[in-house]
Amino acid sequence: MKRNIILHSIVLFTFCFAKAALANVPDSIDIFGRFRVAVGTTNNTFTVSFNCSGDVTSNVFLIRDLWGNELMSTSVYNPLTISYIGEPVVLVAYARVDYIYPTGRICHLEKEKYIYYRDIVLSSQRRGIDGMHTGDQVTVPIHWNFDDDNKNGTPDHDDVQMNRNDNDLLSVKIWVRDSDLYIGPGKLEIITSGGYKLWGDTRKNNYYPQHFIIQNCDLQTWLEEYADGYHMFMERHGDLYYSSPTGSLKVRFNGRELLDLQYHAYAVLAASRPTLTERTIFANLGCNFDGCEWGIFREDVATNFNSVAWAVDPTWEAYGTPFVVTPCEPLCPDIYSPTNYIYEGISLLCISQDTFGNKNHSMNFGIDDIAFYQSPIWSENFLLNNNVSDFGADIIEYASALAARKAPPDQRWGCYPSWSMVNTFFFGRPKILYRAQQINSPILSRFVLAPDPTPDPE
């Protein structure tokens, strides 16, 4: 088997070690050097130290492979230097001293140690939008960083030196898996693919160039100090619609690629990016929407209905015209007869949830709202889902006049698969696609579509 090995023996013609035994010092021999070494390390030197109680008659110091082939040798008085090893291999360092006691007895000392040349193996821990990932082969999901955390009117991916933390910069931690492996100084390269940026802190004060290089780098020390999860943060930036969502972070040392960490960016791509004005409008309505996972639908903008009406009857089949659902007023003659009523300062066709419930001119949660959602007047009936951890309901009710429907698959393009995306209308505002967790209002109930009735067996 061919090995990329360069060996070099350094013979020093210097004064030899004293061979006379020191008083009360036992006879001994040992080999010193680095025995766990990274592939590519240069000039790894080994020496022998010994003490014997007599005159040395012969000695040898050699390095061989596991098959017994001698690669280099010298006297135990001289060091041996392995200049370069280009692939993983196990070698053996062996030293022997033969000597004669003053009594004439023939003795010897010998020592053998294994030398392990190993590839540098890096481990990583990366935060994604769904949690922490430790597998190097995992494609980590990341946000498309187009929100505006510092509210300055500039998308965060175009900002630098922000006055607050950017919550879409996700930490990267990298370390050498074998902490005992000796790695000599070398050339470190960290390469981020197009569309991705690597920062040194979450306020964007320190930027790593796309091809970051350090010459004569002490790899282990540098990773401990600058790739510890507190000094490296990944960001997805650039055009949301025309550039690829995939990217990578690569680590090379002395030209050898040690890591190729894959990323995939997610956002709400079926809708438009929200503008600063839109963010302000919805913030004034008590909606959080600070993340990267929401968007605005420009079509179907209307001012004459609310989200509860749209949630149960998006095509206005029940009344043949858009309408508004109020908590308790007006109390209509019956559920089939909406009444004109001043809602949000505008005269609109309204129906109250109390009309479907106990009709006591008061909104009774758990009575009026359930009766409203389960009414047969809607083309789809709904059943209450009391599993509070289930965001997969078809309707989520946030308040007596605010509800959202589950987003259909065609609106979820570009969303992370596990996100529960919903959409809604706010009164007088465009349609919004967002995550259920992004709204400040407490979730009151979840409703699911009633299953199709199962016919009785014959």
Side-chain angles (χ1 to χ4, degrees), residues 86-299:
E87 63 180 52
V89 69
V90 180
L91 304 177
V92 180
Y94 174 77
R96 178 183 173 114
V97 175
D98 297 304
Y99 60 98
I100 300 176
Y101 272 126
T103 60
R105 184 163 62 94
I106 298 175
C107 301
H108 76 272
L109 299 169
E110 64 179 348
K111 189 74 173 183
E112 181 179 270
K113 287 187 176 181
Y114 288 93
I115 308 168
Y116 297 91
Y117 277 87
R118 292 290 183 252
D119 281 326
I120 302 171
V121 179
L122 301 184
S123 293
S124 67
Q125 186 179 68
R126 293 174 288 160
R127 182 167 294 282
I129 53 180
D130 60 338
M132 195 68 74
H133 296 266
T134 55
D136 299 343
Q137 304 303 316
V138 176
T139 298
V140 171
I142 193 170
H143 281 142
W144 217 301
N145 194 17
F146 62 80
D147 63 356
D148 187 16
D149 290 338
N150 56 354
K151 304 296 189 297
N152 66 349
T154 300
D156 286 344
H157 64 72
D158 288 333
D159 263 338
V160 295
Q161 296 182 330
M162 295 172 58
N163 59 7
R164 55 167 292 178
N165 293 330
D166 186 336
N167 61 13
D168 297 301
L169 299 187
L170 300 178
S171 64
V172 182
K173 180 179 181 180
I174 301 171
W175 66 94
V176 178
R177 188 175 300 174
D178 185 350
S179 60
D180 294 329
L181 190 69
Y182 171 75
I183 305 172
K187 178 183 177 181
L188 171 65
E189 299 173 84
I190 298 178
I191 304 167
T192 49
S193 60
Y196 283 80
K197 286 183 178 180
L198 193 64
W199 296 92
D201 62 65
T202 55
R203 294 196 176 197
K204 297 188 173 182
N205 293 304
N206 300 297
Y207 170 60
Y208 292 90
Q210 189 170 0
H211 194 165
F212 176 71
I213 298 176
I214 300 179
Q215 301 287 356
N216 298 317
C217 177
D218 179 345
L219 181 64
Q220 287 168 305
T221 301
W222 192 90
L223 291 178
E224 289 172 0
E225 293 181 358
Y226 296 101
D228 56 357
Y230 298 96
H231 296 88
M232 290 178 67
F233 298 88
M234 183 64 83
E235 173 194 37
R236 182 63 174 93
H237 70 102
D239 191 279
L240 182 63
Y241 299 99
Y242 301 107
S243 54
S244 171
T246 60
S248 65
L249 173 64
K250 296 183 179 182
V251 180
R252 294 176 185 164
F253 191 70
N254 289 334
R256 298 169 66 93
E257 188 168 291
L258 305 182
L259 278 181
D260 183 2
L261 304 176
Q262 297 296 310
Y263 286 88
H264 187 100
Y266 291 88
V268 178
L269 299 185
S272 301
R273 306 184 201 184
T275 65
L276 179 63
T277 300
E278 287 166 339
R279 288 178 173 275
T280 302
I281 291 172
F282 293 120
N284 293 336
L285 291 171
C287 303
N288 193 16
F289 295 150
D290 278 337
C292 294
E293 320 95 329
W294 70 290
I296 301 294
F297 287 88
R298 301 295 171 183
E299 67 274 14

